[in-house]
Amino acid sequence: MQFPESWLREFCNPPLSTAELADKLTMAGLEVEELRPVAPPFDKVVVAQVLAVAKHPNADRLNVCEVDVGGGGPLSIVCGAPNVRAGIKVPCALVGAELPPAQAGGEPFTIKLGELRGVQSQGMLCSAKELKLSEEQGGLLVLAEDALVGQSIRQHLHLDDTLFTLKLTPNLAHCLSVFGIARELSALTGAPLRMPVITPVALQHDARLPVRIEAPDLCGRFSGRIVRSVNPQAATPAWMIERLARCGQRSVSALVDISNYVMFELGRPSHIFDLDKLHGGLQVRWGRPGERLELLNGSTVEVDGTVGVIADERQVESLAGIMGGQATAVGNNTRNVYVEAAFWWPQAVAGRSRRYNFSTDAGHRFERGVDPAQTMAHVERITQLILDICGGEAGPMDDQTAALPERKPVTLRVARAAKIIGMPVTQPQCAEVFRRLRLDFTEGEGTITVTPPSWRFDLQIEEDLIEEVIRILGYSGLPDTPPLAPVTPRARSEARRGLHMLRHAVAALDYQETVNFSFVEERWERELAGNRQPIRLLNPIAAPLAVMRSSLMGSLIGVLRFNLARKAARVRVFELGRVFLHDASVADSDSTLAGIHQPLRVSALAYGPVDALQWGAPERAIDFFDVKGDVEALLAPRKPRFVPAEHAALHPGRSARVELDCVAIGWVGELHPRWRQAYELPQAPVLFELDADVLAGGRLPAYAPIARQQAALRDIAVIVGESVTHETLLEAIAAAPTGGLVRDARLFDVYRPKSPSADMIAGERSLAVRLELLDDDATLTDERIDAAVKSVLDTLRVRLGARLRA
């Protein structure tokens, strides 16, 4: 919500400076997001009138102008603007004036007495861009004919003003107008509120437009009147154009500007139909499947039974509470208009414009709630302005009421308010707050019962009234009260790592943390998580971000694509965040979270070369085993199992399920070639995703005495089939009956002959394993070592069909 300070002070003018006014609004919950002067500082710029224009003798594109600046004789000023002509009034910077710098951070531009191509110039005629009033360069800024020559341009254009930009929460619908903010300011400061003067216009004909409300759950009240013989080409007054511009709204035409002006002034969006383009009367109803409407923004939409419309006897003419249609828009040939102001139920408007991928000021206000009691008064205000600016003849008001919001009384317990606020408040204080807010109330013993007015849609429960009390009394009055509860630290088990330590552990492996939205594209869920029924958002912030993620992999792929688009050659990123899964066993006090499990996951992605460009080692692309090593490092000293398995996002031959103590805790693998191609990646990244709670867990170090005997090492190479995995081989070695002598076994070589040989045939390979043998109580002898090795070989032969390689 943007507006000029001067407009606000017309309704309520407390004795506060601009900064104090902004602080007062912010501390009352109306956050002032920005304060910006209407114009940068400059001086010695006055209203001037061009008396005569002659061609420059030495330049084709320059003119020599005689200019009256209101004092002394006329000045001679050289000007190259294309729209300069005799008789117009324009800003003139006198000699010595300091104009705003051409670029931000530059030095002010000083006007000096000088010569242009041999002709003396005694000042400068200014455009709006040169005064930093606009970014458009359209020649000189032409002022109104009644501008007073010699008057400071700052005074004439009211440039000593400040633009307020408020960031309003959805419950402050009553503050979406200058008058609404003034009403709040009056309550906050006690300054008098000047009510807008709206007087009924004189009726000059008795024509009415038949209107029928067919959907009371869409429209609660509909008011309107016919105004005949208007002049649509009448010029919008400069004061109205100025105020609209300072609210961020450009001028369109007089009729449209009047409607927008009243919206900013009083908070009610309205619509003006070209009466002669309507066919019969109006019907206010829900849309019907197949009906289409070309909107004022040029787009054509199709409505259905969930979208409210205003229709005539032939077609839909407007989206109810959102935007009018092109077919009945006012234009230069309009002569008769129908002015409407209605109360649309917020729930009937909310979300409709987002379905069509646009938003409007009208929809923004109606979906939060607009005062239903003022429809007729606002039609009178619009009519008043139309007659003043465009002329015309007003007809009788037509007002239909179908169903209005029921304002149920809300009771405030003073003792409860004091407890919630955290400081003593009395019943007279609470009553004074409600009196300043113009709320009707009755008092009881320790209670105040408030009947919310028609413009307050946010007063529904006792806590709403308590918020109003402290908001008006002022948060600055709250005492600094330390907590009384004992602070008892909860010591974390030494066996667990906190999430901060977990982030450090992943970052230590050369990954950079990213933070992404929990709502993602449905395509990611379907393709990268194999989730055909994701949890959907009721009100997504954008159409593509419509579902909650059940995996972090899609988010990391999105980060990778973002980096690749910016020519990153090596990407290593991770995220620690929640995923959202259907789980009927989950219960929650908030019914919206029932049936949803939200575990924490850690996921990482590696792409590109293993190391940054360097001379010490040849460049090599990241592969499955590099990332598998990172997973092992995160879980150390626990030893996970990597079981070949298929995942929707991963390469079926280069991925594995990660298990710890026979429980699946995540996945690791290379991205599936199908998705690498679909997401246009030059090469496949390698990813892992693990349960964060398992990673945060750990095992405390256990003391083990230093061995008193020396270990013996023996290397064996066995020939096995290609189907024998590393894990199967080590399990067989561990199962050999060696009396506990084999303490460790490590695979250190894999050999496949280039062609079949006498000792190895196709489909076989040689696996070399180093055995570590140790007896804590006695020195090993060759006989015991050989017996243990023979036992290992026998077990491998029986279980795996292995034979010793010669």
Side-chain angles (χ1 to χ4, degrees), residues 257-269:
D257 291 346
I258 289 169
S259 178
N260 287 333
Y261 180 83
V262 173
M263 179 181 68
F264 288 115
E265 180 184 45
L266 303 177
R268 176 174 303 284

Side-chain angles (χ1 to χ4, degrees), residues 91-265:
C92 177
L94 304 177
V95 173
E98 287 194 350
L99 299 187
Q103 296 180 349
E107 293 294 326
F109 178 63
T110 303
I111 303 300
K112 299 177 181 179
L113 187 65
E115 288 189 5
L116 288 176
R117 299 287 185 91
V119 177
Q120 189 179 59
S121 183
Q122 298 171 309
M124 186 177 84
L125 304 184
C126 302
S127 67
K129 185 174 184 180
E130 287 163 338
L131 297 179
K132 297 301 179 185
L133 303 181
S134 172
E135 289 302 318
E136 296 181 4
Q137 181 67 53
L140 298 178
L141 174 60
V142 180
L143 305 175
E145 293 181 1
D146 60 354
L148 181 61
V149 174
Q151 183 182 29
S152 168
I153 198 69
R154 301 194 71 89
Q155 184 179 356
H156 174 69
L157 295 179
H158 309 290
L159 300 182
D160 295 319
D161 201 354
T162 303
L163 298 183
F164 278 60
T165 301
L166 268 57
K167 186 178 182 181
L168 299 175
T169 51
N171 63 310
L172 296 175
H174 58 286
C175 295
L176 285 169
S177 67
V178 178
F179 176 72
I181 297 167
R183 185 169 48 202
E184 287 292 300
L185 186 60
S186 175
L188 291 168
T189 63
L193 177 66
R194 299 184 183 91
M195 302 296 291
V197 179
I198 302 175
T199 56
V201 300
L203 304 184
Q204 296 177 281
H205 64 84
D206 58 358
R208 295 174 182 266
L209 180 70
V211 177
R212 186 170 69 255
I213 299 177
E214 297 182 359
D217 55 339
L218 166 66
C219 178
R221 185 176 184 181
F222 194 97
S223 304
R225 68 154 33 116
I226 293 173
V227 181
R228 290 177 172 173
S229 303
V230 299
N231 176 15
Q233 300 185 45
T236 304
W239 60 267
M240 182 177 287
I241 294 175
E242 173 194 297
R243 285 189 170 174
L244 288 173
R246 293 179 185 182
C247 290
Q249 178 69 51
R250 68 180 180 87
S251 174
V252 179
S253 66
L255 291 171
V256 175
D257 291 346
I258 289 169
S259 178
N260 287 333
Y261 180 83
V262 173
M263 179 181 68
F264 288 115
E265 180 184 45

Side-chain angles (χ1 to χ4, degrees), residues 561-581:
R561 297 184 67 198
F562 182 87
N563 280 269
L564 292 180
R566 287 150 183 81
K567 306 301 182 183
R570 182 177 182 272
V571 179
R572 292 172 76 90
V573 292
F574 81 96
E575 181 175 6
L576 192 156
R578 293 195 181 276
V579 297
F580 302 82
L581 311 171

Side-chain angles (χ1 to χ4, degrees), residues 465-483:
L465 297 181
I466 294 173
E467 180 185 4
E468 294 301 295
V469 170
I470 185 56
R471 195 169 65 86
I472 301 302
L473 292 179
Y475 293 107
S476 58
L478 289 171
D480 296 329
T481 306

Side-chain angles (χ1 to χ4, degrees), residues 209 355 437 586 668 717:
L209 180 70
R355 288 178 51 178
L437 287 169
V586 176
V668 60

Side-chain angles (χ1 to χ4, degrees), residues 473-677:
L473 292 179
Y475 293 107
S476 58
L478 289 171
D480 296 329
T481 306
L484 300 178
V487 179
T488 305
R490 297 178 60 186
R492 185 189 297 117
S493 168
E494 291 185 55
R496 290 193 63 81
R497 293 182 288 188
L499 296 182
H500 190 63
M501 293 180 62
L502 189 56
R503 288 186 173 95
H504 272 271
V506 184
L509 295 172
D510 198 24
Y511 293 90
Q512 296 185 9
E513 185 176 13
T514 66
V515 179
N516 300 290
F517 285 130
S518 295
F519 28 86
V520 297
E521 294 185 33
E522 186 173 358
R523 175 190 178 189
W524 294 359
E525 281 297 293
R526 186 175 61 253
E527 297 176 350
L528 301 177
N531 186 4
R532 298 290 176 180
Q533 295 182 329
I535 298 169
R536 297 187 177 277
L537 291 170
L538 296 177
N539 190 19
I541 64 171
L545 307 179
V547 301
M548 302 300 290
R549 63 186 180 185
S550 63
S551 169
L552 304 181
M553 291 186 183
S555 299
L556 294 182
I557 294 295
V559 171
L560 173 62
R561 297 184 67 198
F562 182 87
N563 280 269
L564 292 180
R566 287 150 183 81
K567 306 301 182 183
R570 182 177 182 272
V571 179
R572 292 172 76 90
V573 292
F574 81 96
E575 181 175 6
L576 192 156
R578 293 195 181 276
V579 297
F580 302 82
L581 311 171
H582 288 291
D583 188 343
S585 64
V586 176
D588 197 284
S589 57
D590 184 345
S591 60
T592 61
L593 298 179
I596 300 176
H597 182 42
Q598 305 176 51
L600 271 172
R601 299 274 179 83
V602 175
S603 186
L605 176 148
Y607 174 90
V610 175
D611 299 307
L613 187 63
Q614 48 98 29
W615 61 271
E619 185 172 323
R620 176 176 65 83
I622 200 85
D623 62 20
F624 170 86
F625 296 101
D626 295 309
V627 178
K628 174 176 174 284
D630 292 338
V631 174
E632 291 175 325
L634 288 173
L635 289 168
R638 296 170 294 175
K639 294 186 177 181
R641 293 177 65 238
F642 296 88
V643 181
E646 292 190 9
H647 184 280
L650 303 178
H651 193 301
R654 300 176 186 175
S655 61
R657 183 174 63 247
V658 183
E659 294 183 356
L660 195 64
D661 300 328
C662 299
V663 176
I665 64 167
W667 295 85
V668 60
E670 185 180 296
L671 185 67
H672 198 292
R674 180 192 304 124
W675 309 134
R676 182 191 68 77
Q677 184 176 11

Side-chain angles (χ1 to χ4, degrees), residues 732-770:
I733 293 174
T738 61
L741 292 185
V742 177
R743 296 296 179 89
D744 190 27
R746 291 182 180 273
L747 177 71
F748 66 88
D749 184 57
V750 178
Y751 170 74
R752 294 180 181 87
K754 294 182 180 179
S755 58
S757 60
D759 56 339
M760 294 180 66
I761 62 175
E764 291 184 330
R765 59 179 176 170
S766 169
L767 303 180
V769 181
R770 175 161 294 173

